[in-house]
Amino acid sequence: MAAEIQKDRLNFIEEIIERDQELHRNNGRVHTRFPPEPNGYLHIGHAKSICLNFGIADKYQGLCNLRFDDTNPEKEDIEYVESIQEDIRWLGFDWQDRLYYASDYFSEIYELAVRLVQEGLAYVDDQSAEEISEGRGTPTQPGKESAYRDRSIKENLTLLNKMKAGQFQEGSKVLRAKIDMASPNMHLRDPIMYRIRHTSHHRTGDQWCIYPTYDWAHGQSDALEEITHSLCTLEFEVHRPLYEWFIEKLELFPSKQYEFARLNIGYTIISKRKLLRLVQESVVAGWDDPRMPTLSGLRRRGYTPESIRNFCERIGVARRDGVIDMALLEFSIREDLNVRAPRRFGILEPLKVVITNYPDDKEEWLPAINNPEDPQAGTREIPFTNELYIERNDFMEDPPGKFFRLGPDREVRLKYGYIIKCDDYHKDPETGEVTTLFCTYDPQTKSGSDTSGKKVKGTLGWVSTKHSLDAEIRLYDRLFLDEDPGGHEGTDFTEFLNPHSLQIVKGKVECNFEDVQPFDFFQFERQGYFNIDPDSQPESLVFNRTVTLRDNWGKLQPKK
Ligand code: ATP
Ligand code: MG
């Protein structure tokens, strides 16, 4: 796989860090942070950022902080704060005692704003939001200076203080940095630092009614934590001059911002705002619906932290945006589960088979290998009886030549059991559906002691009807039918939802599922990887199909 080559090479961030270390910048210290806004659950894109920030810190004996970027009181929630921590821990990273909140710095950040005002570098503007945005100009036309731009320092200080004290209405005033209304960089045209919001904050309550903007809070928070390398996604590249302007004017710790490409994956959306809509509009069952690209969704689907970390390693870190194929994520989980998942028999669509020459009171417990990739995993026993289930699509009434499974007068091996031959079958006279196969087994062909010399091409999975367990099995398909559902202007991304993204079947599984726990994973032989859903009960098992055994993405045309 081409992406694997990247593993041994330094990515561009590592190159920057190694150069900084050669120059003894920051005394060789590396300190990063992961700064989620607690307005939704983490998704696979965040995993890339987490693996990068915590991974870099580990690699260079540095530290990585977790900092909630909780500057917007309206959209933030304690539920998100908790889920984010759970997901980062699950991925395998540890911020130790360095859990911070931008809101912890509200006082310090306010003091810094006062300093900028005192230096004549910030002013209170009474223009409305529309006037401000109009006055900002366009990328090709300079903006217009506000009539309030030249207020005295004294007046600005008084007004800012009153803003903070709650004496003004929302939208009536803002604090702006006084930079350059003609700058070719729109972000330097007197950016807004504070807005008035008479809204309670999930941590600071009603203590504040002015809230700092992202641009004003983020860099200052980095500097207060003495972050050496502040890694963010490419859309912030144009904000970097402002990030540096604040730090320089305030003579703060010189944190440096570096930008890398966001992760995009085909046939899905990776944006908290849009994922929130899927949850709110009940398109999915919740943030942890196994079809969601959230970390909690992937976890419930059966993804392991190792597989996601390997995926993030494989995609690497680049400066150019691109779209990653979902097949690469699935490759990562197959690769991991292939080595670790115990094998079991599970039948998604059962078809009954009667072995007419096998005594109906007899049962044999046959040894089955738990994991051919892992000799330590040993064997288990599975019961062979005169009535079995096989997969419905392992039988065809009129099979083509290349079909090596069961058909009239055809022979197959039942894995770990015997070779059977199909002599007859019954159909439902009304529906035409095949209901039962009647087969004979050859006692000479027992696996492990086959003396028949027979060779058959097909090997099938099976379970004993008497010993098998009922199972609800949830099968997932892509959530969207379009490769870039969020990328069509004028068409809402929900228009591209796949109506068949969840299919629930009533299957049968072998008896060896005692004491299973939610998230335990298995390979159902020849079917794919499955895990136990948290909805599962000992007497009514529920499985999710994590992924099929082979890559379907390349082959399948999306269903229309
Ligand atoms: P969203 O658009 O989904 O809300 P965001 O960037 O607003 O994403 P934050 O909570 O602000 O989400 O992000 C925390 C960190 O994760 C930021 O440093 C951000 O750059 C990074 N991040 C978010 N999405 C991706 C992605 N798709 N790929 C890589 N990094 C990402
Ligand atoms: Mg954000």
Side-chain angles (χ1 to χ4, degrees):
M1 191 149 289
E4 221 150 4
I5 302 166
Q6 280 196 313
K7 273 192 173 180
D8 312 316
R9 282 212 334 242
L10 294 184
N11 65 44
F12 82 95
I13 305 269
E14 292 167 336
E15 279 172 5
I16 289 168
I17 288 179
E18 300 205 354
R19 192 200 58 210
D20 286 351
Q21 294 202 319
E22 275 164 28
L23 297 171
H24 297 288
R25 288 211 175 116
N26 305 308
N27 301 318
R29 197 170 60 82
V30 173
H31 202 148
T32 57
R33 86 288 171 265
F34 174 65
E37 186 182 347
N39 61 351
Y41 280 56
L42 295 183
H43 52 56
I44 183 75
H46 293 115
K48 174 175 176 177
S49 179
I50 294 168
C51 289
L52 176 63
N53 279 295
F54 283 92
I56 288 277
D58 278 349
K59 181 164 178 180
Y60 297 99
Q61 288 86 49
L63 299 171
C64 179
N65 297 352
L66 170 59
R67 182 202 315 141
F68 285 104
D69 176 15
D70 58 348
T71 51
N72 181 348
E74 263 134 49
K75 296 190 198 144
E76 295 163 3
D77 202 302
I78 190 75
E79 177 195 352
Y80 301 140
V81 168
E82 281 165 6
S83 75
I84 288 170
Q85 295 184 55
E86 183 186 347
D87 288 347
I88 300 172
R89 278 205 199 90
W90 175 75
L91 255 191
F93 297 104
D94 185 3
W95 54 91
Q96 296 159 320
D97 56 352
R98 294 178 312 282
L99 169 60
Y100 302 118
Y101 294 83
S103 58
D104 291 346
Y105 310 135
F106 279 175
S107 297
E108 278 155 293
I109 292 175
Y110 179 78
E111 290 311 317
L112 294 174
V114 169
R115 266 178 53 198
L116 281 185
V117 174
Q118 283 167 338
E119 287 171 33
L121 294 172
Y123 63 98
V124 172
D125 194 348
D126 295 4
Q127 293 184 103
S128 68
E130 296 77 54
E131 285 167 335
I132 290 176
S133 120
E134 233 168 71
R136 191 158 268 154
T138 67
T140 49
Q141 275 178 320
K144 258 195 6 238
E145 295 189 353
S146 164
Y148 304 95
R149 199 172 195 260
D150 292 319
R151 275 180 161 149
S152 71
I153 290 176
K154 193 161 163 245
E155 187 185 5
N156 278 319
L157 285 173
T158 310
L159 289 173
L160 177 59
N161 199 28
K162 285 188 176 173
M163 274 171 70
K164 175 177 173 249
Q167 298 187 11
F168 301 121
Q169 286 186 344
E170 288 192 13
S172 63
K173 288 188 170 38
V174 293
L175 185 74
R176 296 178 76 174
K178 193 169 176 178
I179 307 182
D180 178 5
M181 288 306 288
S183 170
N185 183 331
M186 300 279 287
H187 295 279
L188 294 180
R189 295 186 188 171
D190 293 7
I192 294 175
M193 295 166 61
Y194 277 107
R195 287 193 179 87
I196 300 172
R197 290 239 172 112
H198 293 282
T199 306
S200 281
H201 183 277
H202 72 105
R203 280 178 66 82
T204 59
D206 293 325
Q207 197 187 333
W208 292 88
C209 62
I210 54 171
Y211 289 95
T213 55
Y214 172 89
D215 282 321
W216 171 232
H218 197 83
Q220 303 4 283
S221 304
D222 282 344
L224 289 168
E225 292 175 16
E226 306 204 340
I227 299 302
T228 56
H229 299 80
S230 175
L231 311 177
C232 62
T233 37
L234 279 177
E235 68 270 25
F236 291 104
E237 187 170 6
V238 283
H239 297 239
R240 192 187 336 132
L242 177 57
Y243 181 100
E244 291 174 349
W245 188 89
F246 283 132
I247 285 183
E248 191 197 306
K249 296 295 176 209
L250 290 162
E251 297 178 348
L252 301 177
F253 178 86
S255 299
K256 287 260 179 278
Q257 175 182 304
Y258 301 95
E259 308 86 19
F260 62 95
R262 286 180 92 81
L263 170 64
N264 299 303
I265 301 184
Y267 293 97
T268 188
I269 46 167
I270 305 184
S271 146
K272 276 181 291 186
R273 193 170 45 82
K274 290 181 179 150
L275 294 172
L276 174 64
R277 270 192 56 200
L278 296 180
V279 174
Q280 284 174 338
E281 294 171 22
S282 301
V283 171
V284 293
W287 285 99
D288 69 343
D289 187 299
R291 292 166 291 180
M292 292 280 270
T294 51
L295 294 183
S296 50
L298 291 165
R299 170 166 68 233
R300 185 158 180 183
R301 174 81 169 253
Y303 277 77
T304 59
E306 292 81 357
S307 67
I308 293 177
R309 293 203 305 264
N310 284 337
F311 169 75
C312 291
E313 177 99 28
R314 246 181 214 117
I315 57 175
V317 183
R319 298 202 55 149
R320 195 162 332 146
D321 275 320
V323 180
I324 301 287
D325 200 327
M326 186 66 92
L328 195 62
L329 186 59
E330 295 194 340
F331 172 84
S332 300
I333 186 63
R334 277 192 201 100
E335 175 190 55
D336 188 28
L337 293 183
N338 177 42
V339 185
R340 298 202 285 157
R343 273 52 170 175
R344 293 288 183 268
F345 284 128
I347 307 294
L348 306 187
E349 237 194 303
L351 173 61
K352 192 159 158 185
V353 174
V354 177
I355 314 282
T356 52
N357 62 339
Y358 196 88
D360 63 5
D361 57 352
K362 183 172 171 180
E363 60 183 50
E364 284 174 274
W365 289 78
L366 305 168
I369 294 169
N370 280 333
N371 186 350
E373 302 291 324
D374 176 11
Q376 306 283 330
T379 58
R380 67 191 186 282
E381 295 200 317
I382 51 174
F384 193 88
T385 55
N386 74 321
E387 284 191 8
L388 312 170
Y389 292 118
I390 63 166
E391 197 62 57
R392 177 165 291 280
N393 65 14
D394 279 342
F395 173 82
M396 280 180 86
E397 282 182 86
D398 191 11
K402 283 247 168 73
F403 185 82
F404 297 126
R405 291 168 271 167
L406 215 45
D409 293 322
R410 293 203 178 193
E411 283 187 311
V412 291
R413 172 169 292 285
L414 297 178
K415 193 164 186 184
Y416 303 122
Y418 296 93
I419 291 178
I420 60 167
K421 179 172 174 213
C422 179
D423 306 311
D424 196 5
Y425 59 97
H426 276 182
K427 279 164 72 159
D428 182 318
E430 267 170 36
T431 62
E433 192 183 72
V434 175
T435 53
T436 315
L437 306 185
F438 296 93
C439 300
T440 42
Y441 86 112
D442 179 349
Q444 307 278 295
T445 58
K446 188 169 176 171
S447 274
S449 54
D450 187 336
T451 53
S452 71
K454 266 190 197 168
K455 289 258 180 299
V456 289
K457 282 204 166 138
T459 303
L460 305 189
W462 54 277
V463 296
S464 157
T465 57
K466 184 171 150 201
H467 295 274
S468 65
L469 309 171
D470 290 328
E472 174 178 321
I473 305 175
R474 300 174 182 172
L475 307 173
Y476 304 101
D477 196 355
R478 58 187 70 176
L479 190 49
F480 292 95
L481 297 173
D482 189 87
E483 185 169 9
D484 185 14
H488 299 266
E489 221 165 294
T491 312
D492 192 63
F493 68 98
T494 54
E495 301 280 311
F496 301 104
L497 281 164
N498 175 5
H500 307 292
S501 59
L502 169 63
Q503 189 197 346
I504 298 179
V505 299
K506 300 284 176 201
K508 299 280 183 184
V509 297
E510 66 170 80
C511 56
N512 294 299
F513 284 100
E514 272 162 28
D515 301 326
V516 287
Q517 299 296 323
F519 307 108
D520 284 355
F521 44 72
F522 301 94
Q523 185 195 94
F524 290 179
E525 301 234 9
R526 297 183 53 236
Q527 308 267 18
Y529 294 100
F530 294 78
N531 81 344
I532 302 280
D533 189 83
D535 287 344
S536 194
Q537 298 292 326
E539 59 286 357
S540 58
L541 295 169
V542 180
F543 292 88
N544 298 302
R545 182 167 68 194
T546 307
V547 66
T548 52
L549 280 188
R550 266 165 234 92
D551 173 21
N552 292 327
W553 288 82
K555 277 182 274 170
L556 284 185
Q557 285 303 309
K559 292 183 200 116
K560 281 267 148 74

